[in-house]
Short mmCIF file of all heavy atoms in Angstrom, two decimals:
data_model
loop_
_atom_site.label_atom_id
_atom_site.label_comp_id
_atom_site.label_asym_id
_atom_site.label_seq_id
_atom_site.Cartn_x
_atom_site.Cartn_y
_atom_site.Cartn_z
N MET A 1 0.81 -1.18 -0.04
CA MET A 1 0.00 0.00 0.02
C MET A 1 0.89 1.22 -0.02
O MET A 1 0.56 2.22 -0.69
CB MET A 1 -0.87 -0.03 1.26
CG MET A 1 -1.83 1.16 1.29
SD MET A 1 -3.04 1.20 0.08
CE MET A 1 -4.37 0.37 0.93
N ALA A 2 1.98 1.23 0.70
CA ALA A 2 2.83 2.41 0.84
C ALA A 2 3.55 2.70 -0.51
O ALA A 2 3.79 3.88 -0.80
CB ALA A 2 3.85 2.23 1.90
N THR A 3 3.79 1.70 -1.34
CA THR A 3 4.43 1.93 -2.60
C THR A 3 3.49 2.71 -3.53
O THR A 3 3.97 3.61 -4.24
CB THR A 3 4.90 0.70 -3.23
OG1 THR A 3 3.77 -0.21 -3.47
CG2 THR A 3 5.97 -0.04 -2.46
N VAL A 4 2.24 2.36 -3.56
CA VAL A 4 1.26 3.02 -4.41
C VAL A 4 1.09 4.48 -3.88
O VAL A 4 1.10 5.43 -4.71
CB VAL A 4 -0.09 2.30 -4.36
CG1 VAL A 4 -1.10 3.02 -5.17
CG2 VAL A 4 0.10 0.93 -4.91
N LEU A 5 0.99 4.68 -2.61
CA LEU A 5 0.80 6.02 -2.07
C LEU A 5 2.03 6.90 -2.28
O LEU A 5 1.95 8.12 -2.51
CB LEU A 5 0.45 5.95 -0.58
CG LEU A 5 -0.93 5.34 -0.26
CD1 LEU A 5 -1.11 5.25 1.20
CD2 LEU A 5 -2.02 6.10 -0.92
N SER A 6 3.21 6.26 -2.22
CA SER A 6 4.46 7.07 -2.55
C SER A 6 4.52 7.49 -3.98
O SER A 6 4.97 8.58 -4.28
CB SER A 6 5.69 6.25 -2.11
OG SER A 6 5.83 5.12 -2.95
N MET A 7 4.03 6.60 -4.89
CA MET A 7 3.99 7.02 -6.28
C MET A 7 3.04 8.15 -6.48
O MET A 7 3.36 9.15 -7.21
CB MET A 7 3.58 5.80 -7.10
CG MET A 7 3.52 6.08 -8.55
SD MET A 7 5.19 6.41 -9.24
CE MET A 7 4.74 6.96 -10.85
N ILE A 8 1.81 8.09 -5.88
CA ILE A 8 0.88 9.19 -6.00
C ILE A 8 1.46 10.47 -5.38
O ILE A 8 1.33 11.53 -5.96
CB ILE A 8 -0.41 8.78 -5.28
CG1 ILE A 8 -1.13 7.68 -6.03
CG2 ILE A 8 -1.37 10.00 -5.15
CD1 ILE A 8 -2.28 7.04 -5.29
N GLY A 9 2.07 10.33 -4.25
CA GLY A 9 2.67 11.52 -3.60
C GLY A 9 3.75 12.21 -4.40
O GLY A 9 3.86 13.40 -4.48
N ALA A 10 4.56 11.36 -5.11
CA ALA A 10 5.65 11.89 -5.89
C ALA A 10 5.09 12.63 -7.07
O ALA A 10 5.52 13.74 -7.41
CB ALA A 10 6.54 10.78 -6.38
N VAL A 11 4.11 12.07 -7.77
CA VAL A 11 3.53 12.76 -8.93
C VAL A 11 2.84 14.04 -8.54
O VAL A 11 2.96 15.10 -9.17
CB VAL A 11 2.59 11.80 -9.71
CG1 VAL A 11 1.79 12.50 -10.77
CG2 VAL A 11 3.32 10.62 -10.34
N VAL A 12 2.05 14.01 -7.44
CA VAL A 12 1.31 15.18 -6.99
C VAL A 12 2.28 16.28 -6.59
O VAL A 12 2.10 17.46 -6.86
CB VAL A 12 0.32 14.87 -5.89
CG1 VAL A 12 -0.26 16.08 -5.26
CG2 VAL A 12 -0.80 13.97 -6.47
N SER A 13 3.35 15.95 -5.85
CA SER A 13 4.35 16.91 -5.42
C SER A 13 5.01 17.55 -6.58
O SER A 13 5.30 18.76 -6.57
CB SER A 13 5.33 16.35 -4.43
OG SER A 13 6.17 15.39 -5.08
N GLN A 14 5.31 16.76 -7.61
CA GLN A 14 5.96 17.30 -8.80
C GLN A 14 4.98 18.17 -9.56
O GLN A 14 5.35 19.14 -10.23
CB GLN A 14 6.38 16.14 -9.74
CG GLN A 14 7.57 15.34 -9.17
CD GLN A 14 7.73 14.05 -9.93
OE1 GLN A 14 7.00 13.77 -10.93
NE2 GLN A 14 8.79 13.27 -9.51
N TYR A 15 3.69 17.84 -9.55
CA TYR A 15 2.67 18.59 -10.25
C TYR A 15 2.57 20.00 -9.67
O TYR A 15 2.47 20.95 -10.38
CB TYR A 15 1.32 17.85 -10.14
CG TYR A 15 0.20 18.58 -10.85
CD1 TYR A 15 -0.03 18.31 -12.18
CD2 TYR A 15 -0.65 19.48 -10.14
CE1 TYR A 15 -1.07 18.98 -12.87
CE2 TYR A 15 -1.71 20.07 -10.85
CZ TYR A 15 -1.92 19.81 -12.18
OH TYR A 15 -2.92 20.45 -12.83
N PHE A 16 2.61 20.11 -8.35
CA PHE A 16 2.47 21.45 -7.71
C PHE A 16 3.78 22.21 -7.52
O PHE A 16 3.74 23.38 -7.27
CB PHE A 16 1.72 21.25 -6.42
CG PHE A 16 0.29 20.93 -6.58
CD1 PHE A 16 -0.21 19.75 -6.18
CD2 PHE A 16 -0.59 21.86 -7.11
CE1 PHE A 16 -1.54 19.43 -6.33
CE2 PHE A 16 -1.88 21.58 -7.32
CZ PHE A 16 -2.39 20.35 -6.91
N GLY A 17 4.89 21.49 -7.55
CA GLY A 17 6.12 22.22 -7.33
C GLY A 17 7.32 21.57 -7.83
O GLY A 17 8.42 21.58 -7.22
N GLY A 18 7.23 20.95 -8.94
CA GLY A 18 8.37 20.25 -9.53
C GLY A 18 9.51 21.22 -9.94
O GLY A 18 9.25 22.21 -10.62
N LEU A 19 10.69 20.86 -9.60
CA LEU A 19 11.85 21.72 -9.93
C LEU A 19 12.52 21.23 -11.21
O LEU A 19 13.19 21.93 -11.88
CB LEU A 19 12.85 21.72 -8.78
CG LEU A 19 12.36 22.27 -7.45
CD1 LEU A 19 13.40 22.14 -6.41
CD2 LEU A 19 11.96 23.73 -7.65
N ARG A 20 12.27 19.95 -11.57
CA ARG A 20 12.97 19.41 -12.71
C ARG A 20 12.04 19.40 -13.83
O ARG A 20 10.83 19.06 -13.73
CB ARG A 20 13.48 18.03 -12.42
CG ARG A 20 14.51 17.96 -11.31
CD ARG A 20 14.99 16.56 -11.10
NE ARG A 20 15.42 15.98 -12.34
CZ ARG A 20 16.68 15.60 -12.61
NH1 ARG A 20 17.57 15.79 -11.74
NH2 ARG A 20 16.99 15.06 -13.76
N ALA A 21 12.57 19.59 -15.04
CA ALA A 21 11.73 19.59 -16.29
C ALA A 21 11.36 18.18 -16.71
O ALA A 21 10.48 18.01 -17.60
CB ALA A 21 12.42 20.29 -17.39
N THR A 22 11.99 17.17 -16.14
CA THR A 22 11.77 15.80 -16.56
C THR A 22 10.81 15.09 -15.62
O THR A 22 10.64 13.82 -15.77
CB THR A 22 13.09 15.04 -16.64
OG1 THR A 22 13.71 15.04 -15.34
CG2 THR A 22 13.99 15.64 -17.71
N SER A 23 10.21 15.72 -14.69
CA SER A 23 9.28 14.99 -13.77
C SER A 23 7.98 14.73 -14.40
O SER A 23 7.53 15.48 -15.29
CB SER A 23 9.13 15.85 -12.48
OG SER A 23 8.45 17.04 -12.79
N LEU A 24 7.35 13.62 -14.01
CA LEU A 24 6.13 13.23 -14.54
C LEU A 24 4.98 14.17 -14.22
O LEU A 24 4.09 14.45 -15.08
CB LEU A 24 5.79 11.77 -14.10
CG LEU A 24 4.66 11.03 -14.76
CD1 LEU A 24 4.96 10.96 -16.29
CD2 LEU A 24 4.51 9.64 -14.14
N GLY A 25 4.90 14.63 -13.03
CA GLY A 25 3.83 15.56 -12.66
C GLY A 25 3.94 16.90 -13.37
O GLY A 25 2.87 17.42 -13.80
N LEU A 26 5.12 17.39 -13.58
CA LEU A 26 5.31 18.67 -14.31
C LEU A 26 4.94 18.41 -15.81
O LEU A 26 4.33 19.29 -16.43
CB LEU A 26 6.69 19.20 -14.12
CG LEU A 26 6.98 20.60 -14.67
CD1 LEU A 26 6.06 21.54 -13.96
CD2 LEU A 26 8.40 20.93 -14.39
N PHE A 27 5.24 17.25 -16.35
CA PHE A 27 4.89 16.93 -17.69
C PHE A 27 3.42 16.92 -17.89
O PHE A 27 2.92 17.49 -18.89
CB PHE A 27 5.49 15.55 -18.08
CG PHE A 27 5.17 15.10 -19.52
CD1 PHE A 27 5.89 15.59 -20.57
CD2 PHE A 27 4.12 14.27 -19.73
CE1 PHE A 27 5.61 15.21 -21.85
CE2 PHE A 27 3.87 13.85 -21.01
CZ PHE A 27 4.55 14.31 -22.12
N ILE A 28 2.72 16.39 -16.93
CA ILE A 28 1.25 16.29 -17.04
C ILE A 28 0.65 17.74 -16.93
O ILE A 28 -0.22 18.08 -17.78
CB ILE A 28 0.67 15.46 -15.85
CG1 ILE A 28 1.05 13.97 -16.04
CG2 ILE A 28 -0.82 15.60 -15.83
CD1 ILE A 28 0.78 13.14 -14.85
N LYS A 29 1.19 18.51 -16.06
CA LYS A 29 0.70 19.90 -15.94
C LYS A 29 0.97 20.73 -17.22
O LYS A 29 0.04 21.43 -17.71
CB LYS A 29 1.40 20.54 -14.69
CG LYS A 29 0.99 21.94 -14.47
CD LYS A 29 1.73 22.47 -13.22
CE LYS A 29 1.40 23.88 -12.94
NZ LYS A 29 2.08 24.38 -11.76
N GLU A 30 2.12 20.59 -17.77
CA GLU A 30 2.51 21.45 -18.95
C GLU A 30 1.71 20.99 -20.17
O GLU A 30 1.26 21.79 -20.91
CB GLU A 30 3.98 21.32 -19.15
CG GLU A 30 4.83 22.14 -18.18
CD GLU A 30 6.27 22.00 -18.45
OE1 GLU A 30 6.73 21.10 -19.30
OE2 GLU A 30 7.07 22.68 -17.83
N ARG A 31 1.56 19.70 -20.37
CA ARG A 31 0.85 19.18 -21.50
C ARG A 31 -0.66 19.54 -21.43
O ARG A 31 -1.29 19.85 -22.45
CB ARG A 31 1.05 17.68 -21.65
CG ARG A 31 2.42 17.33 -22.09
CD ARG A 31 2.72 17.98 -23.44
NE ARG A 31 3.94 17.44 -23.97
CZ ARG A 31 4.49 17.86 -25.09
NH1 ARG A 31 3.82 18.66 -25.87
NH2 ARG A 31 5.61 17.43 -25.48
N ALA A 32 -1.22 19.45 -20.24
CA ALA A 32 -2.63 19.85 -20.07
C ALA A 32 -2.78 21.34 -20.31
O ALA A 32 -3.86 21.76 -20.91
CB ALA A 32 -3.16 19.44 -18.71
N ALA A 33 -1.84 22.16 -19.89
CA ALA A 33 -1.97 23.56 -20.10
C ALA A 33 -1.86 24.01 -21.56
O ALA A 33 -2.48 24.98 -22.01
CB ALA A 33 -0.89 24.32 -19.32
N LEU A 34 -1.16 23.16 -22.33
CA LEU A 34 -1.00 23.45 -23.74
C LEU A 34 -2.04 22.71 -24.61
O LEU A 34 -1.96 22.71 -25.80
CB LEU A 34 0.45 22.97 -24.22
CG LEU A 34 1.62 23.76 -23.64
CD1 LEU A 34 2.92 23.19 -24.05
CD2 LEU A 34 1.52 25.21 -24.07
N ALA A 35 -2.99 22.12 -23.90
CA ALA A 35 -4.12 21.36 -24.58
C ALA A 35 -3.71 20.14 -25.33
O ALA A 35 -4.36 19.72 -26.25
CB ALA A 35 -4.92 22.33 -25.45
N PHE A 36 -2.61 19.52 -24.92
CA PHE A 36 -2.19 18.23 -25.40
C PHE A 36 -2.68 17.16 -24.43
O PHE A 36 -1.94 16.55 -23.70
CB PHE A 36 -0.65 18.14 -25.51
CG PHE A 36 -0.09 19.07 -26.58
CD1 PHE A 36 0.93 19.93 -26.24
CD2 PHE A 36 -0.49 19.01 -27.89
CE1 PHE A 36 1.45 20.79 -27.21
CE2 PHE A 36 0.01 19.85 -28.85
CZ PHE A 36 1.00 20.76 -28.52
N PHE A 37 -3.98 16.96 -24.44
CA PHE A 37 -4.64 16.07 -23.46
C PHE A 37 -4.30 14.66 -23.66
O PHE A 37 -4.20 13.87 -22.66
CB PHE A 37 -6.17 16.33 -23.52
CG PHE A 37 -6.55 17.69 -23.11
CD1 PHE A 37 -7.17 18.51 -24.09
CD2 PHE A 37 -6.29 18.23 -21.89
CE1 PHE A 37 -7.56 19.83 -23.72
CE2 PHE A 37 -6.58 19.52 -21.53
CZ PHE A 37 -7.25 20.32 -22.49
N ALA A 38 -4.06 14.22 -24.86
CA ALA A 38 -3.60 12.80 -25.09
C ALA A 38 -2.33 12.56 -24.41
O ALA A 38 -2.14 11.49 -23.79
CB ALA A 38 -3.56 12.53 -26.58
N ASP A 39 -1.37 13.42 -24.52
CA ASP A 39 -0.03 13.26 -23.82
C ASP A 39 -0.23 13.25 -22.31
O ASP A 39 0.39 12.49 -21.66
CB ASP A 39 0.87 14.39 -24.24
CG ASP A 39 1.30 14.29 -25.65
OD1 ASP A 39 1.12 13.25 -26.32
OD2 ASP A 39 1.87 15.30 -26.18
N SER A 40 -0.98 14.19 -21.81
CA SER A 40 -1.18 14.25 -20.33
C SER A 40 -1.92 12.97 -19.82
O SER A 40 -1.52 12.45 -18.82
CB SER A 40 -1.96 15.52 -19.91
OG SER A 40 -3.23 15.53 -20.46
N TRP A 41 -2.89 12.48 -20.56
CA TRP A 41 -3.60 11.27 -20.13
C TRP A 41 -2.63 10.04 -20.25
O TRP A 41 -2.73 9.13 -19.46
CB TRP A 41 -4.89 11.05 -20.90
CG TRP A 41 -6.00 11.78 -20.29
CD1 TRP A 41 -6.62 12.88 -20.75
CD2 TRP A 41 -6.66 11.46 -19.07
NE1 TRP A 41 -7.59 13.30 -19.92
CE2 TRP A 41 -7.62 12.44 -18.86
CE3 TRP A 41 -6.50 10.47 -18.11
CZ2 TRP A 41 -8.44 12.42 -17.70
CZ3 TRP A 41 -7.29 10.47 -16.97
CH2 TRP A 41 -8.26 11.43 -16.77
N ALA A 42 -1.80 10.05 -21.27
CA ALA A 42 -0.83 8.94 -21.40
C ALA A 42 0.11 8.94 -20.25
O ALA A 42 0.43 7.86 -19.69
CB ALA A 42 -0.08 9.11 -22.70
N ALA A 43 0.55 10.08 -19.76
CA ALA A 43 1.42 10.19 -18.59
C ALA A 43 0.67 9.76 -17.31
O ALA A 43 1.29 9.09 -16.45
CB ALA A 43 1.94 11.60 -18.44
N ILE A 44 -0.60 10.07 -17.23
CA ILE A 44 -1.40 9.59 -16.07
C ILE A 44 -1.51 8.08 -16.09
O ILE A 44 -1.42 7.44 -15.04
CB ILE A 44 -2.78 10.25 -16.10
CG1 ILE A 44 -2.62 11.77 -15.79
CG2 ILE A 44 -3.74 9.63 -15.08
CD1 ILE A 44 -3.87 12.58 -16.04
N VAL A 45 -1.70 7.47 -17.25
CA VAL A 45 -1.73 6.04 -17.40
C VAL A 45 -0.45 5.38 -17.02
O VAL A 45 -0.39 4.36 -16.31
CB VAL A 45 -2.24 5.63 -18.78
CG1 VAL A 45 -2.01 4.15 -19.06
CG2 VAL A 45 -3.67 6.00 -19.06
N VAL A 46 0.66 6.02 -17.44
CA VAL A 46 1.99 5.48 -17.05
C VAL A 46 2.15 5.54 -15.53
O VAL A 46 2.64 4.55 -14.93
CB VAL A 46 3.11 6.34 -17.70
CG1 VAL A 46 4.49 6.05 -17.16
CG2 VAL A 46 3.12 6.01 -19.19
N ALA A 47 1.74 6.62 -14.89
CA ALA A 47 1.83 6.69 -13.44
C ALA A 47 1.00 5.66 -12.76
O ALA A 47 1.38 5.03 -11.77
CB ALA A 47 1.44 8.06 -12.96
N SER A 48 -0.19 5.39 -13.30
CA SER A 48 -1.08 4.38 -12.79
C SER A 48 -0.49 2.97 -12.93
O SER A 48 -0.53 2.17 -12.00
CB SER A 48 -2.42 4.38 -13.48
OG SER A 48 -3.02 5.67 -13.30
N VAL A 49 0.09 2.70 -14.11
CA VAL A 49 0.74 1.41 -14.32
C VAL A 49 1.89 1.20 -13.41
O VAL A 49 2.14 0.10 -12.88
CB VAL A 49 1.08 1.23 -15.83
CG1 VAL A 49 2.01 0.05 -16.04
CG2 VAL A 49 -0.17 1.17 -16.67
N LEU A 50 2.69 2.21 -13.16
CA LEU A 50 3.78 2.10 -12.25
C LEU A 50 3.34 1.84 -10.84
O LEU A 50 3.94 1.01 -10.13
CB LEU A 50 4.66 3.41 -12.29
CG LEU A 50 5.57 3.57 -13.48
CD1 LEU A 50 6.15 4.98 -13.46
CD2 LEU A 50 6.64 2.56 -13.52
N GLY A 51 2.26 2.48 -10.42
CA GLY A 51 1.72 2.26 -9.10
C GLY A 51 1.28 0.81 -8.92
O GLY A 51 1.55 0.13 -7.88
N VAL A 52 0.57 0.30 -9.90
CA VAL A 52 0.06 -1.08 -9.87
C VAL A 52 1.25 -2.07 -9.92
O VAL A 52 1.31 -3.03 -9.20
CB VAL A 52 -0.86 -1.39 -11.08
CG1 VAL A 52 -1.17 -2.84 -11.16
CG2 VAL A 52 -2.23 -0.60 -10.86
N ALA A 53 2.27 -1.75 -10.72
CA ALA A 53 3.51 -2.64 -10.78
C ALA A 53 4.22 -2.62 -9.43
O ALA A 53 4.66 -3.72 -8.99
CB ALA A 53 4.41 -2.14 -11.93
N PHE A 54 4.34 -1.51 -8.83
CA PHE A 54 5.01 -1.45 -7.48
C PHE A 54 4.23 -2.31 -6.50
O PHE A 54 4.79 -3.06 -5.71
CB PHE A 54 5.09 -0.03 -6.98
CG PHE A 54 6.13 0.84 -7.70
CD1 PHE A 54 6.05 2.19 -7.64
CD2 PHE A 54 7.14 0.27 -8.42
CE1 PHE A 54 6.95 3.01 -8.36
CE2 PHE A 54 8.07 1.03 -9.14
CZ PHE A 54 7.92 2.36 -9.07
N TYR A 55 2.89 -2.15 -6.51
CA TYR A 55 2.03 -2.93 -5.57
C TYR A 55 2.20 -4.46 -5.82
O TYR A 55 2.37 -5.22 -4.91
CB TYR A 55 0.60 -2.58 -5.75
CG TYR A 55 -0.32 -3.39 -4.90
CD1 TYR A 55 -0.45 -3.16 -3.48
CD2 TYR A 55 -1.01 -4.48 -5.42
CE1 TYR A 55 -1.22 -3.98 -2.71
CE2 TYR A 55 -1.83 -5.22 -4.65
CZ TYR A 55 -1.94 -5.03 -3.28
OH TYR A 55 -2.78 -5.85 -2.50
N LEU A 56 2.17 -4.87 -7.13
CA LEU A 56 2.31 -6.29 -7.38
C LEU A 56 3.69 -6.81 -7.02
O LEU A 56 3.79 -7.99 -6.55
CB LEU A 56 1.99 -6.57 -8.89
CG LEU A 56 0.56 -6.32 -9.34
CD1 LEU A 56 0.44 -6.47 -10.83
CD2 LEU A 56 -0.38 -7.22 -8.61
N ALA A 57 4.72 -6.01 -7.17
CA ALA A 57 6.06 -6.43 -6.83
C ALA A 57 6.14 -6.63 -5.31
O ALA A 57 6.72 -7.65 -4.87
CB ALA A 57 7.09 -5.39 -7.27
N VAL A 58 5.60 -5.71 -4.57
CA VAL A 58 5.63 -5.88 -3.08
C VAL A 58 4.79 -7.05 -2.64
O VAL A 58 5.17 -7.73 -1.74
CB VAL A 58 5.24 -4.53 -2.40
CG1 VAL A 58 5.04 -4.73 -0.91
CG2 VAL A 58 6.35 -3.44 -2.66
N ALA A 59 3.67 -7.19 -3.29
CA ALA A 59 2.77 -8.36 -2.93
C ALA A 59 3.45 -9.65 -3.20
O ALA A 59 3.32 -10.64 -2.45
CB ALA A 59 1.47 -8.21 -3.69
N ALA A 60 4.23 -9.75 -4.30
CA ALA A 60 4.92 -10.98 -4.64
C ALA A 60 6.02 -11.28 -3.64
O ALA A 60 6.25 -12.41 -3.18
CB ALA A 60 5.48 -10.94 -6.03
N VAL A 61 6.76 -10.29 -3.25
CA VAL A 61 7.84 -10.43 -2.25
C VAL A 61 7.20 -10.81 -0.92
O VAL A 61 7.74 -11.74 -0.21
CB VAL A 61 8.64 -9.11 -2.13
CG1 VAL A 61 9.62 -9.20 -0.90
CG2 VAL A 61 9.45 -8.90 -3.40
N GLU A 62 6.11 -10.17 -0.57
CA GLU A 62 5.45 -10.54 0.68
C GLU A 62 4.96 -11.99 0.70
O GLU A 62 5.15 -12.69 1.68
CB GLU A 62 4.27 -9.57 0.95
CG GLU A 62 3.49 -9.85 2.18
CD GLU A 62 2.29 -8.96 2.37
OE1 GLU A 62 1.79 -8.49 1.39
OE2 GLU A 62 1.94 -8.64 3.52
N ARG A 63 4.35 -12.40 -0.39
CA ARG A 63 3.91 -13.81 -0.46
C ARG A 63 5.08 -14.75 -0.40
O ARG A 63 4.98 -15.79 0.24
CB ARG A 63 3.15 -13.99 -1.79
CG ARG A 63 2.49 -15.40 -1.89
CD ARG A 63 1.70 -15.59 -3.12
NE ARG A 63 0.36 -15.12 -3.00
CZ ARG A 63 -0.61 -15.71 -2.25
NH1 ARG A 63 -0.28 -16.68 -1.44
NH2 ARG A 63 -1.85 -15.30 -2.27
N ALA A 64 6.18 -14.43 -1.04
CA ALA A 64 7.36 -15.34 -0.99
C ALA A 64 8.02 -15.37 0.35
O ALA A 64 8.46 -16.38 0.85
CB ALA A 64 8.35 -14.90 -2.05
N ALA A 65 8.08 -14.18 1.01
CA ALA A 65 8.71 -14.12 2.31
C ALA A 65 7.87 -14.63 3.49
O ALA A 65 8.40 -15.12 4.50
CB ALA A 65 9.12 -12.70 2.64
N LEU A 66 6.57 -14.57 3.35
CA LEU A 66 5.64 -14.94 4.42
C LEU A 66 4.83 -16.12 4.02
O LEU A 66 3.64 -16.19 4.39
CB LEU A 66 4.73 -13.74 4.77
CG LEU A 66 5.45 -12.51 5.33
CD1 LEU A 66 4.40 -11.43 5.56
CD2 LEU A 66 6.16 -12.83 6.61
N HIS A 67 5.43 -17.05 3.31
CA HIS A 67 4.63 -18.27 2.88
C HIS A 67 4.21 -19.10 4.08
O HIS A 67 3.24 -19.85 3.95
CB HIS A 67 5.50 -19.08 1.95
CG HIS A 67 6.78 -19.62 2.57
ND1 HIS A 67 6.86 -20.74 3.32
CD2 HIS A 67 8.03 -19.06 2.54
CE1 HIS A 67 8.11 -20.87 3.74
NE2 HIS A 67 8.85 -19.89 3.27
N TRP A 68 4.76 -18.95 5.21
CA TRP A 68 4.40 -19.73 6.44
C TRP A 68 3.20 -19.12 7.13
O TRP A 68 2.57 -19.76 7.88
CB TRP A 68 5.59 -19.75 7.44
CG TRP A 68 6.08 -18.36 7.67
CD1 TRP A 68 7.10 -17.71 7.10
CD2 TRP A 68 5.63 -17.49 8.70
NE1 TRP A 68 7.29 -16.52 7.55
CE2 TRP A 68 6.39 -16.26 8.61
CE3 TRP A 68 4.64 -17.57 9.67
CZ2 TRP A 68 6.17 -15.19 9.40
CZ3 TRP A 68 4.44 -16.51 10.53
CH2 TRP A 68 5.24 -15.29 10.38
N HIS A 69 2.85 -17.89 6.90
CA HIS A 69 1.75 -17.17 7.62
C HIS A 69 0.42 -17.67 7.13
O HIS A 69 0.15 -17.79 5.94
CB HIS A 69 1.90 -15.68 7.45
CG HIS A 69 1.13 -14.90 8.49
ND1 HIS A 69 -0.15 -14.53 8.23
CD2 HIS A 69 1.48 -14.45 9.68
CE1 HIS A 69 -0.61 -13.92 9.30
NE2 HIS A 69 0.38 -13.81 10.17
N PRO A 70 -0.51 -17.90 8.05
CA PRO A 70 -1.84 -18.40 7.66
C PRO A 70 -2.60 -17.51 6.72
O PRO A 70 -3.35 -18.01 5.87
CB PRO A 70 -2.58 -18.53 8.97
CG PRO A 70 -1.50 -18.64 10.01
CD PRO A 70 -0.36 -17.88 9.46
N SER A 71 -2.44 -16.18 6.77
CA SER A 71 -3.20 -15.30 5.94
C SER A 71 -2.69 -15.43 4.48
O SER A 71 -3.46 -15.23 3.51
CB SER A 71 -2.98 -13.84 6.32
OG SER A 71 -1.72 -13.39 6.19
N VAL A 72 -1.48 -15.82 4.25
CA VAL A 72 -0.91 -16.04 2.95
C VAL A 72 -1.35 -17.40 2.34
O VAL A 72 -1.64 -17.56 1.23
CB VAL A 72 0.61 -15.84 2.93
CG1 VAL A 72 1.18 -16.21 1.54
CG2 VAL A 72 0.96 -14.47 3.31
N ARG A 73 -1.40 -18.39 3.30
CA ARG A 73 -1.79 -19.78 2.86
C ARG A 73 -3.26 -19.85 2.54
O ARG A 73 -3.68 -20.84 1.92
CB ARG A 73 -1.45 -20.71 3.99
CG ARG A 73 0.00 -20.98 4.10
CD ARG A 73 0.28 -22.12 5.06
NE ARG A 73 -0.43 -21.96 6.32
CZ ARG A 73 0.06 -22.18 7.51
NH1 ARG A 73 1.29 -22.55 7.62
NH2 ARG A 73 -0.70 -21.98 8.59
N GLY A 74 -4.05 -18.90 2.97
CA GLY A 74 -5.48 -18.96 2.70
C GLY A 74 -6.31 -19.60 3.83
O GLY A 74 -7.50 -19.70 3.74
N ARG A 75 -5.66 -19.94 4.95
CA ARG A 75 -6.35 -20.50 6.08
C ARG A 75 -6.47 -19.41 7.20
O ARG A 75 -5.69 -18.49 7.27
CB ARG A 75 -5.51 -21.58 6.68
CG ARG A 75 -5.66 -22.90 6.00
CD ARG A 75 -5.01 -24.05 6.80
NE ARG A 75 -4.81 -23.77 8.17
CZ ARG A 75 -3.76 -24.25 8.92
NH1 ARG A 75 -2.86 -24.96 8.33
NH2 ARG A 75 -3.71 -23.93 10.23
N ARG A 76 -7.49 -19.57 7.98
CA ARG A 76 -7.60 -18.69 9.15
C ARG A 76 -6.75 -19.19 10.26
O ARG A 76 -6.56 -20.41 10.41
CB ARG A 76 -9.07 -18.71 9.65
CG ARG A 76 -10.02 -18.00 8.80
CD ARG A 76 -11.29 -17.93 9.52
NE ARG A 76 -12.36 -17.63 8.62
CZ ARG A 76 -13.64 -17.46 8.95
NH1 ARG A 76 -13.95 -17.61 10.19
NH2 ARG A 76 -14.53 -17.23 8.07
N PRO A 77 -6.15 -18.31 11.03
CA PRO A 77 -5.36 -18.80 12.17
C PRO A 77 -6.33 -19.41 13.24
O PRO A 77 -7.40 -18.97 13.42
CB PRO A 77 -4.70 -17.49 12.73
CG PRO A 77 -5.48 -16.40 12.16
CD PRO A 77 -6.14 -16.87 10.89
N GLU A 78 -5.85 -20.43 13.84
CA GLU A 78 -6.67 -21.16 14.85
C GLU A 78 -6.38 -20.60 16.26
O GLU A 78 -5.53 -20.07 16.67
CB GLU A 78 -6.35 -22.64 14.80
CG GLU A 78 -6.70 -23.19 13.47
CD GLU A 78 -6.34 -24.62 13.32
OE1 GLU A 78 -5.82 -25.23 14.33
OE2 GLU A 78 -6.52 -25.18 12.27
#
């Protein structure tokens, strides 16, 4: 959950105060201001895909590391 929220936080912070011209949030802001909505929506989709990928990566590591835990095995703890 924290990886997804950190991705959202990074994009939003860049959107409102990005210092670098290569940041994703600033790219979205500039493209939307210039009415290049397809580019800005494409960047939003990229940010969404990255957030989902980060979540799936952490979930896979958690499943591999906690294979012994009942919540991962699908059983209720007794």
